[in-house]
Structure formats: C-alpha cells, structure tokens
Amino acid sequence: MNVILLGAPGAGKGTQATRLAEKYGIPHISTGDIFRENIKKQTPIGVVAKSYIDKGQLVPDEVTVEIVKQRLAMDDCKNGYLLDGFPRNTFQAEELDKFSTVEKVVDIDVDLTKLLKRITGRRVCVCGESFHVDFLNGKTTCDKCGSELYQRADDNEETVKNRLSVYQNQTAPLIEYYQKAGKLVLINGDQSIDKVFEDITKTLG
Ligand code: ADP
Ligand code: ADP
Ligand code: ZN
C-alpha cells in the first residue's frame, strides 16, 4: 500500500499519518520531519534546508527528491508507505513516478481561510504528535509521552502566509495531476480528527 497524503499545511496530514501508520503497520515518511531532524543535528542538508524553511519556501528539488528516493528504498517500505508532505510540486511528482508506484493519493481538503488558525495554534511534541491550543485546555505536555510541547519555528503568521501561497501555486496543481492518473481520493478535512480518520480508512480498506 503506497499512499500519498496530500493537503495544504495544517490540513491534518501529520495527525492522520501517525494514526494510519499505526493501523496499517507501514512507515510514516514526512519530508518536513526529515528536514527538522537534519536541522537539529546540523547536518549539511539541515543547514541548506533551514534557510528555505525559515522563509516558508520549498527546499530545492534536487535535495528533497534524493532524500525520498533513498528513504523509499529502505527495507521497511517493502509493504508500503505513507508519504506526508511529498511531492509538493509537479516536478517532484514526476520524479517519484520514476522510482516508485503510488496507488492512492488522499487529498485532505480544508478551506484555506481556516488553515492559518490551525497552524499558528499547533503545538508539537518530540514524539511526533501534534496538538492544537484550542483542545489543550492549558495543558503544556504531550498526552502520549508526557514531554513538554513546543511551537515550530516556522509556525508564525508571516511564514505561514508564504507557505499557504506556495501551496496554492505549486502544490495544489497536484490534485489535477493525480485525478488524471485515477489515483485521487478527496476527503473532507473539516471534520473531527476521528471522522477524517474513519473516512480515510474506508477508502484505503
Ligand atoms: P499538517 O501535517 O497537514 O501540516 P497537522 O496534522 O500538523 O497538519 O495539523 C495541524 C493543526 O491542526 C494541529 O494543531 C492539529 O492538532 C490540528 N488538527 C488536525 N486535524 C484536525 C481536525 N480534523 N480538526 C481540527 N484540528 C485539527
Ligand atoms: P506543513 O505540512 O505544516 O507545511 P511540513 O513539515 O510538511 O509542514 O514542511 C515544513 C517545511 O519543510 C516546508 O514549508 C518546506 O520548507 C519544507 N519541505 C517539506 N517537504 C518538502 C518538499 N516535498 N519539498 C520542498 N520542501 C519541503
Ligand atoms: Zn509526545
């Protein structure tokens, strides 16, 4: 089961991917997470990626495609994978088609006007979970592992606005790309986390 989770920043890709990976026993591969790990370890890739991520721009394709190509070649992807945040433009999608066969593309659809609030209110944990301040009731630690939550450096209003326009200009055209390929499944992302999960699992089987 090779699946892509498509959707704007804040649509709920990471939230759903964590749950889907657990249910189906396949790896959740987030290019954003891979970049953030590299930034933390100050690797050469991390140094390059940071300058783009801080501005809300896409990290260059040659870096990003190579990372995904190597990751999908690893053993744990043999029975499938969940790609979250890749591809993000047509070039990346075409490259992916050259080294892997995607079966389904789940587009989590949320109105653009609601995304700014979702992202600026996002609080994340080192374990990979994300939360929203509106549901935390003042709690500052993770439900799953107890660690202190924090806000991502790029989840500020200025950077988010850039990311949303990058999404509209570069990523949204992928909806048509995968529709034409007969792989697209449209999911209403403006429902509870549980309901979105139920809708996705229904289409994945
Ligand atoms: P993405 O990976 O697509 O950028 P996340 O999964 O990190 O998005 O979710 C962005 C924010 O929205 C987080 O604060 C998360 O808790 C919240 N969120 C995710 N799904 C929903 C939902 N169905 N309803 C309300 N808030 C949600
Ligand atoms: P979100 O879903 O909230 O936009 P991600 O964690 O997916 O956040 O991505 C964070 C940042 O990492 C992006 O704004 C971009 O700079 C970079 N990035 C992630 N995936 C890609 C990709 N496929 N191509 C280029 N840059 C990427
Ligand atoms: Zn945690």
Side-chain angles (χ1 to χ4, degrees):
M1 179 166 34
N2 298 343
V3 176
I4 292 173
L5 292 177
L6 201 62
K13 302 181 299 296
T15 301
Q16 297 300 330
T18 308
R19 289 161 176 74
L20 293 166
E22 213 166 283
K23 178 176 167 76
Y24 294 108
I26 54 176
H28 165 204
I29 299 167
S30 154
T31 39
D33 285 350
I34 294 173
F35 287 136
R36 282 184 288 276
E37 238 160 71
N38 277 277
I39 291 171
K40 209 153 111 195
K41 292 185 191 149
Q42 296 180 301
T43 69
I45 285 172
V47 173
V48 173
K50 186 175 186 324
S51 63
Y52 293 91
I53 292 176
D54 284 349
K55 286 182 255 171
Q57 295 169 356
L58 294 186
V59 178
D61 289 334
E62 59 267 29
V63 179
T64 310
V65 170
E66 194 51 36
I67 284 177
V68 174
K69 193 175 178 180
Q70 286 180 20
R71 182 64 188 86
L72 296 191
M74 287 169 76
D75 246 17
D76 63 338
C77 294
K78 268 200 311 242
N79 297 324
Y81 54 76
L82 286 157
L83 265 180
D84 160 12
F86 183 95
R88 255 176 153 96
N89 60 30
T90 308
F91 179 79
Q92 291 180 6
E94 287 168 352
E95 290 300 304
L96 175 63
D97 281 340
K98 292 179 191 167
F99 58 77
S100 192
T101 305
V102 172
E103 277 132 28
K104 275 203 176 143
V105 178
V106 176
D107 180 35
I108 306 178
D109 184 45
V110 175
D111 200 276
L112 278 180
T113 57
K114 300 198 171 158
L115 295 171
L116 184 65
K117 193 167 162 263
R118 276 212 191 175
I119 307 171
T120 53
R122 171 163 56 194
R123 298 294 180 272
V124 296
C125 179
V126 284
C127 78
E129 270 294 321
S130 16
F131 302 88
H132 195 280
V133 281
D134 287 356
F135 301 116
L136 281 166
N137 300 317
K139 260 193 81 176
T140 61
T141 52
C142 174
D143 268 350
K144 226 176 169 181
C145 77
S147 301
E148 197 68 26
L149 301 175
Y150 61 97
Q151 189 166 20
R152 264 168 52 180
D154 62 339
D155 278 353
N156 62 80
E157 194 162 330
E158 173 87 7
T159 306
V160 173
K161 283 183 175 156
N162 286 335
R163 283 154 62 198
L164 292 175
S165 87
V166 165
Y167 169 78
Q168 273 191 299
N169 296 326
Q170 302 194 47
T171 312
L174 292 180
I175 297 172
E176 201 188 323
Y177 180 93
Y178 287 117
Q179 199 157 32
K180 279 184 179 153
K183 294 176 178 175
L184 194 80
V185 183
L186 193 68
I187 299 287
N188 175 11
D190 193 9
Q191 313 179 84
S192 72
I193 291 172
D194 287 346
K195 183 67 172 68
V196 174
F197 181 70
E198 191 190 315
D199 286 359
I200 297 175
T201 52
K202 258 188 213 152
T203 79
L204 295 182

